[in-house]
Amino acid sequence: MAQSGAAMATPPPQQPKPREEPAGMEEEARLLEAFASLPAVSRAWAFPAATHDGVRVTVQLQQRNLAANAQRKYLTSFLVNEAVLEAGALDPSPPAEQAGVLLYAPSPSGRHLLVVRAGSGDSSAVLELWDQCRVVAERHVPQALHGAVYNDGWFGQGASWSHDESLVAYVAEAPPPAKTPEWCAAAAGPDGKKAEGAAAPKGWRGQGEWSEDWGELNTGKKPPTLFVLDWGAAAVRRVQGLPQDASCGQPVWAPQGDALVFVSWQHQSELASPNFPQRLGLVHCFNRPCSLHALPWPQPAADGDLGAAADAPTCLTAPLASAFSPRFSPDGCTLVFLSQQNAVASGVHNATATLHSLSWAGAGAALAGGSVPPPRTVVDTVWKPASTDGFPGLYCTSLPEQPFLPGSHTLLLTTQWRSLAAVVAVDMQSGGVSRVSPANGASWSLLASHGGWVVACESRPSQPFALFAAHLPAAEQAAPTAQAWGWSSLPLPDADAGSFPPAVRQQLQDVAVTVLQVAPPTPPTDVALETVVLHSSAQAAGPRPTIITPHGGPHTAYLAQYFMPLSYLVALGYNVVLLNYRGSTGFGEASIQSLPGKIGASDVADCLASLQAAVDAGGSRVRAPLFFMLGAKDRRVPLDDAKQYINALRRRKDAPETRVIVFPEDSHALDKPQTEFEQWLNAAWWCKRFV
């Protein structure tokens, strides 16, 4: 029969739906989401208690906010005294989220508080001054005065209050040294001035001269410099007289308020790189020269600034090529600081740190024109530890805000001790170092101390954190004995393992750790090779697949502490081998210096030896498909380098299966919450396919 009307249209062929990857990972994703919800402790402060019985402690915690791809930070406070220790329970305040807070800096007494938030429009920052119950002043800092505030843990670590709490020193981006004209804007009149309010073409300002930055995580940032907030006048001014062509940070006030001590990094230094004018990256690179300087205070006021100092700042540490993290003793007589002289001298990016002291009476006289006394070395380099459990040297990047016990020469700090972190006490007179946190297979870090009260955090692969406190009686504070350190648990309600999601609680209970001493397979054989194996505590039949994860660096280390992605992998049924190959930190300077010249040889041989040791302990089976996860903004291992390797690999006829994910907004660490989640879920999927 003949067709009538318009011809029937042929339906287009259905397009196949794109497959979703990773597929079949719903259960693993739910478990990873539960793991990602666990909080972590980031900082703490201790203040005098109003009743003079114990201390008030404020703890800052953080939790991943996956939906916002950010970290949610919040505060809780509680009283710690003998009654609390005896009861073994805390009564914390309700958590208060720090939404939009860039810097939180309570004064030493706890009576005042500086809060910094991001500005908008012509304002670079908003400074809020609080007393105990209200905001007493708010100041919007114009971009012409300074750029964004630094609170990166290196240039800026919060803010420094003067002893009388009248001044606050902090670190922010220096304003541009010059600006371009406004191009194509309205022409000036006969008097050389523009007519305000008149119609005119739209103009713009150009970029101006390019300024080099400090590399990864500092991309596009202006050099850091110092600013002072006057509490009484609620005014902010830039500190004058600072070293030229240098970045300045880590300010601290002298006890009498008569000087400001700070760290200076020269933008071009013959010590680090002769005839090499580039400003090399600074993050995780402690071989960049730096020194301590001091400016007398107050400075004469001039032109709305704090004034140009009559003399240049005084360098306090000229004999050393590295000096940072300055702190004063309670009596104000001694300035202490850390040095990475070994890193500067050898060129390795991280090395054994040393601790030094300086008589402030002598340094103060130098500000008036005298000579600076030489610093005294308190804790020197340990080349090789005396024994397996012997002190390996200092491995820390900053001193606590209040490192001293009251009325004593005892300084407390956190350092890496082989594959653990430990709280140690340093006798500033003898230089003796003693471990004061328990040697119980967990990593310990000092959070805060005041008046003989010390609060610390314990972490292990099966436990994100637990709080502990120790109280040293007055008789023990001058020279505490090992028996004086009786640590008592401070359980935070809703933050301990008992309140975790059931799936996570059950899985964490099953995570165990074993530290293996492995014989180095190649020379040198007289330095330590230690491996941390995360595994199940259950005695299940048969071997478990094993994942070996060498750390980067190379001069850093894996610690036996909680790291969410690795505990998650153990929960999925894997053993995880964390390899501290020769050249890792925490084992003495001989270990660090054994790796340069042998990178790609010693460390690879150590990987194989450590994997074999783990296999002998529990068994494994390993395949070789390759999965690359890369940050598009990585300046440490640029994306183009990875592309060249991947393309060369794929040109091989026998190339293994290769998968690549590029995160467009991430740098080297891949640590944004959504990136971390996607990274480790895909890693679990890859292992599920091939292992």
Side-chain angles (χ1 to χ4, degrees):
M1 187 170 81
Q3 292 183 338
S4 61
M8 296 180 64
T10 303
Q14 291 186 350
Q15 297 295 323
K17 293 182 179 180
R19 67 181 187 274
E20 289 191 358
E21 291 184 350
M25 296 293 291
E26 293 78 13
E27 183 177 346
E28 290 87 347
R30 285 192 295 269
L31 181 61
L32 182 55
E33 187 175 355
F35 266 93
S37 71
L38 303 186
V41 172
S42 53
R43 292 191 69 180
W45 299 265
F47 311 106
T51 61
H52 302 287
D53 179 18
V55 290
R56 292 186 297 112
V57 178
T58 297
V59 176
Q60 182 187 70
L61 299 100
Q62 63 184 39
Q63 181 183 7
R64 297 169 182 84
N65 185 346
L66 291 174
N69 198 22
Q71 292 284 351
R72 176 180 282 117
K73 296 183 179 181
Y74 55 99
L75 301 173
T76 185
S77 300
F78 46 83
L79 177 68
V80 179
N81 56 24
E82 295 293 351
V84 170
L85 298 187
E86 185 176 348
L90 291 175
D91 184 19
S93 65
E97 185 173 1
Q98 292 184 288
V101 174
L102 303 180
L103 185 149
Y104 178 88
S107 67
S109 68
R111 292 191 297 269
H112 303 126
L113 172 66
L114 170 65
V115 173
V116 179
R117 305 180 190 273
S120 60
D122 294 333
S123 172
S124 62
V126 180
L127 310 183
E128 299 173 356
L129 296 173
W130 293 71
D131 66 8
Q132 291 182 311
C133 60
R134 67 186 184 97
V135 176
V136 296
E138 179 182 284
R139 292 294 180 267
H140 292 249
V141 180
Q143 293 181 357
L145 179 56
H146 69 60
V149 172
Y150 272 90
N151 191 27
D152 60 349
W154 184 242
F155 289 126
Q157 304 175 15
S160 176
W161 289 80
S162 61
H163 183 71
D164 62 1
E165 301 188 353
S166 64
L167 302 171
V168 189
Y170 66 95
V171 185
E173 288 181 289
K179 62 181 181 180
T180 64
E182 188 174 359
W183 307 116
C184 298
D191 58 356
K193 297 181 180 180
K194 293 181 183 179
E196 294 188 10
K202 181 177 177 58
W204 77 95
R205 293 192 183 274
Q207 295 299 315
E209 185 178 3
W210 171 75
S211 176
E212 193 168 24
D213 58 39
W214 280 109
E216 185 190 11
L217 300 185
N218 289 295
T219 300
K221 291 185 177 181
K222 301 292 191 300
T225 192
L226 305 181
F227 296 83
V228 169
L229 166 64
D230 186 320
W231 170 270
V236 178
R237 297 182 179 90
R238 182 177 178 177
V239 177
Q240 299 297 302
L242 298 175
Q244 298 297 312
D245 197 25
S247 292
C248 298
Q250 300 185 14
V252 61
W253 292 100
Q256 302 303 319
D258 55 353
L260 184 64
V261 178
F262 59 94
V263 182
S264 171
W265 294 262
Q266 290 295 318
H267 293 167
Q268 298 180 26
S269 172
E270 291 294 314
L271 289 172
S273 48
N275 302 317
F276 194 75
Q278 286 92 330
R279 195 187 311 174
L280 301 175
L282 193 69
V283 174
H284 303 306
C285 293
F286 305 107
N287 51 6
R288 311 301 185 226
C290 56
S291 53
L292 294 189
H293 288 72
L295 278 171
W297 208 264
Q299 294 181 329
D303 299 330
D305 281 329
L306 287 176
D311 299 311
T314 300
C315 181
L316 304 176
T317 56
L320 296 171
S322 171
F324 57 93
S325 194
R327 301 289 188 269
F328 280 94
S329 60
D331 59 10
C333 296
T334 305
L335 175 66
V336 299
F337 59 93
L338 293 169
S339 173
Q340 274 278 5
Q341 181 79 10
N342 289 316
V344 176
S346 65
V348 301
H349 75 90
N350 194 6
T352 311
T354 50
L355 179 68
H356 304 265
S357 66
L358 188 67
S359 167
W360 184 243
L367 296 182
S371 59
V372 180
R376 169 178 167 261
T377 300
V378 179
V379 179
D380 208 343
T381 306
V382 174
W383 187 251
K384 290 182 181 178
S387 64
T388 302
D389 296 326
F391 173 59
L394 292 179
Y395 298 90
C396 53
T397 58
S398 66
L399 296 174
E401 289 186 20
Q402 301 177 38
F404 285 91
L405 291 176
S408 75
H409 297 282
T410 301
L411 178 144
L412 303 178
L413 58 85
T414 303
T415 183
Q416 183 188 337
W417 193 306
R418 296 182 74 89
S419 296
L420 295 171
V423 181
V424 300
V426 179
D427 186 320
M428 294 297 296
Q429 294 179 329
S430 68
V433 179
S434 57
R435 189 177 192 161
V436 299
S437 57
N440 59 355
S443 286
W444 286 68
S445 58
L446 178 67
L447 291 177
S449 66
H450 181 83
W453 290 88
V454 182
V455 179
C457 176
E458 180 198 61
S459 175
R460 56 181 78 229
S462 60
Q463 169 189 282
F465 73 91
L467 300 181
F468 287 81
H471 181 214
L472 276 71
E476 290 278 4
Q477 291 173 13
T481 62
Q483 293 75 21
W485 296 90
W487 295 95
S488 301
S489 176
L490 298 175
L492 269 179
D494 299 327
D496 60 3
S499 65
F500 291 166
V504 175
R505 183 169 65 247
Q506 295 167 7
Q507 296 292 352
L508 284 178
Q509 290 174 351
D510 191 40
V511 177
V513 59
T514 300
V515 178
L516 300 177
Q517 308 299 321
V518 182
T522 60
T525 59
D526 59 345
V527 294
L529 169 53
E530 195 165 84
T531 295
V532 179
V533 182
L534 309 185
H535 57 91
S536 171
S537 59
Q539 299 298 319
R544 290 161 58 100
T546 298
I547 300 171
I548 185 168
T549 58
H551 61 72
H555 306 297
T556 181
Y558 271 126
L559 301 185
Q561 63 186 18
Y562 184 76
F563 181 39
M564 185 275 287
L566 303 184
S567 295
Y568 168 69
L569 291 178
V570 176
L572 294 182
Y574 300 97
N575 292 337
V576 181
V577 177
L578 309 178
L579 171 64
N580 286 327
Y581 46 77
R582 288 168 291 174
S584 300
T585 55
F587 298 88
E589 186 67 11
S591 176
I592 291 174
Q593 298 299 338
S594 73
L595 187 56
K598 298 185 176 68
I599 295 176
S602 290
D603 44 4
V604 173
D606 291 353
C607 287
L608 298 176
S610 297
L611 181 60
Q612 187 60 52
V615 168
D616 294 342
S620 70
R621 53 185 186 276
V622 181
R623 302 287 180 91
L626 298 176
F627 190 1
F628 297 83
M629 286 174 279
L630 310 166
K633 296 183 178 180
D634 189 343
R635 294 180 65 181
R636 190 172 295 269
V637 183
L639 180 60
D640 285 345
D641 290 358
K643 288 180 180 177
Q644 293 182 36
Y645 180 85
I646 293 165
N647 291 333
L649 180 70
R650 286 175 168 172
R651 283 194 292 267
R652 286 174 34 193
K653 293 182 179 180
D654 61 343
E657 182 174 346
T658 304
R659 178 175 170 84
V660 181
I661 294 179
V662 176
F663 298 97
E665 298 301 321
D666 281 80
S667 57
H668 185 69
L670 301 181
D671 57 358
K672 295 181 184 299
Q674 290 179 1
T675 299
E676 180 192 49
F677 187 93
E678 186 176 353
Q679 173 191 9
W680 289 101
L681 186 63
N682 275 278
W685 175 65
W686 195 254
C687 292
K688 187 177 181 180
R689 287 184 58 200
F690 293 105
V691 177

